[in-house]
Amino acid sequence: GEALPQDSAEAADWYRRSAMQGYPPAQLAYGIALDGGWGVARDPGDAVRWYRRAAYRGEPAAMWRLAFHHRRGVAVPRDLAEAWAWFDRLAALGDRRAEAERDWLSLIGLDEAGLKLAERRSAILGGLIATARADRTQPSERDAELKAR
């Protein structure tokens, strides 16, 4: 067969369609497209929402991007405890780079109270992710916010 010309807008549309069906790799890919403005209007805030959906379903690359956004304050308020919690979830999956990021935040970025909050958030995220994987359902962002309080 013959190769088709690349069409970023069409690719982004297919990722969006698949993401809306709940497929975590597509949620991640659509978030990346939104984050970079590839085939769609650049919208880092919407990208973070798609990363969060994929991360709750256990997509490691989405967890990494979400942690990065929270660590840097890109499209979300800077929240080192939230970043620590996502890096901790990745470290639990064996990601050594995330383990280093988490440990760096522990040493440099969080006081004792912030670290306790981060540990609590990580435990909650672990439960939400395990539940979503087991049930093949996705917790809403609002559910996670309520449980994190």
Side-chain angles (χ1 to χ4, degrees), residues 8-32:
S8 297
E10 186 170 349
D13 185 54
W14 281 107
Y15 283 132
R16 181 188 59 78
R17 291 176 191 203
S18 185
M20 291 179 73
Q21 297 297 315
Y23 185 55
Q27 292 171 331
L28 168 65
Y30 188 55
I32 291 170

Side-chain angles (χ1 to χ4, degrees), residues 59-115:
E59 181 64 41
M63 292 180 198
W64 183 267
R65 287 180 174 267
L66 197 53
F68 172 81
H69 277 268
H70 281 288
R71 186 184 75 203
R72 292 288 176 102
V74 177
V76 292
R78 187 168 190 243
D79 186 342
L80 297 182
E82 187 73 8
W84 189 98
W86 284 110
F87 285 134
D88 189 55
R89 291 290 91 216
L90 284 163
L93 296 174
D95 186 323
R96 309 278 256 155
R97 202 170 47 134
E99 184 178 352
E101 290 287 341
R102 179 202 62 198
D103 293 348
W104 178 83
L105 286 174
S106 296
L107 291 172
I108 306 293
L110 292 170
D111 60 15
E112 188 175 333
L115 187 56

